[in-house]
Amino acid sequence: MTPGGTHRTGHRGGFWRSNSLTLTFGGAFLVVLAAQAVAGHAEFNEQLAVEGLQRIGLGPYLMSSDFAVDVTENWQSEFLQFFLYVYGTVYLLQRGSPESKPLDRVGIESERDQRVGEHATPESPRWAADRGWRQSVYAHSLGLVMAGLFLLSWLAQSVSGAAAHNELRLRQLQDPVGWVSYLGSADFWSRSLQNWQSELLAVASMAVLSVYLRQRGSPESKPVGSPHHATGVEG
């Protein structure tokens, strides 16, 4: 307590309030993942019943390639969206959108604007002040990590997808195919492309709709009273 018996209010809510966005969406992710597991398990057993095969429990389903491919094909499309968005918005602009940089700031910007090297402040990350490879890596770290997560999840999708595809082929008394052959299959590319197109549509829609529409209090929207042509302004 401060003198006079009042509480300090500089960090009201502490850890939970300061991290509510991550905690809320992280918790929602776990709830939805669990719900997906239950629904997917029921659907998988329905398919087994149609084929005259014995049903399996939830535990074995969670360890199955069928569950793994359903999860990873969504993950890789999300990481692809953020990778493309992080890199694309360096050079691509949308007049009037808060999702775009101002029209006069296209490109990687100056060291002064980015507060790197001699322009770094005492509060800047330590690698931002470095002039060697550390600064170069850190300056692209978000895009590199998103690209890495996309490639890893896409690889996981390909492996689990090949296993799930072969399980189906075996149930239909067909010969399994190798992983390399599966990479060129319609099943693999159908799973990938149907997710990619939806993510690209979502990004394009957000960029355009945020020019004319508003959400009061959201950093993804311009202030309600901002003109439509205002670019790179957040609420």
Side-chain angles (χ1 to χ4, degrees):
M1 297 178 67
T2 59
T6 59
H7 289 277
R8 295 183 183 274
T9 58
H11 298 284
R12 287 180 296 177
F15 175 82
W16 294 99
R17 183 174 184 274
S18 299
N19 299 278
S20 58
L21 184 61
T22 299
L23 294 171
T24 298
F25 279 91
F29 160 73
L30 295 177
V31 170
V32 173
L33 182 63
Q36 177 191 347
V38 173
H41 174 239
E43 181 185 23
F44 188 70
N45 275 333
E46 287 178 3
Q47 183 61 38
L48 291 178
V50 169
E51 298 176 8
L53 301 173
Q54 184 176 0
R55 295 171 179 260
I56 64 172
L58 180 60
Y61 173 72
L62 294 179
M63 301 300 293
S64 71
S65 57
D66 190 84
F67 177 68
V69 70
D70 286 344
V71 171
T72 54
E73 73 176 70
N74 287 298
W75 288 5
Q76 56 88 8
S77 64
E78 295 296 335
F79 289 127
L80 175 65
Q81 175 194 129
F82 285 112
F83 164 68
L84 293 176
Y85 195 70
V86 166
Y87 271 100
T89 50
V90 175
Y91 296 100
L92 303 179
L93 304 170
Q94 175 57 58
R95 178 180 170 86
S97 176
E99 301 296 313
S100 167
K101 295 195 299 183
L103 302 181
D104 61 349
R105 294 181 60 185
V106 65
I108 60 174
E109 303 178 11
S110 67
E111 291 194 349
R112 181 185 295 274
D113 290 335
Q114 289 291 309
R115 299 177 185 174
V116 297
E118 63 182 18
H119 302 289
T121 69
E123 294 184 345
S124 297
R126 182 165 55 89
W127 281 19
D130 192 290
R131 286 203 171 275
W133 63 269
R134 292 180 181 84
Q135 184 198 112
S136 181
V137 170
Y138 188 68
H140 299 88
S141 56
L142 180 59
L144 290 172
V145 169
M146 287 298 175
L149 290 173
F150 161 66
L151 292 174
L152 287 174
S153 56
W154 200 23
L155 174 63
Q157 178 203 330
S158 72
V159 173
S160 56
H165 183 67
N166 282 331
E167 286 179 8
L168 179 61
R169 288 179 64 86
L170 289 172
R171 293 203 302 267
Q172 296 173 344
L173 303 180
Q174 296 178 313
D175 292 332
V177 298
W179 176 68
V180 174
S181 296
Y182 177 72
L183 293 181
S185 71
D187 183 80
F188 175 69
W189 285 104
S190 175
R191 286 180 178 274
S192 297
L193 295 172
Q194 69 180 334
N195 286 286
W196 294 1
Q197 55 87 14
S198 64
E199 300 300 337
L200 294 171
L201 175 62
V203 171
S205 299
M206 184 63 181
V208 173
L209 293 177
S210 61
V211 174
Y212 303 102
L213 306 179
R214 308 286 189 270
Q215 178 56 55
R216 183 168 181 167
S218 174
E220 300 304 313
S221 167
K222 293 183 290 189
V224 177
S226 294
H228 293 325
H229 63 76
T231 306
V233 180
E234 297 180 347

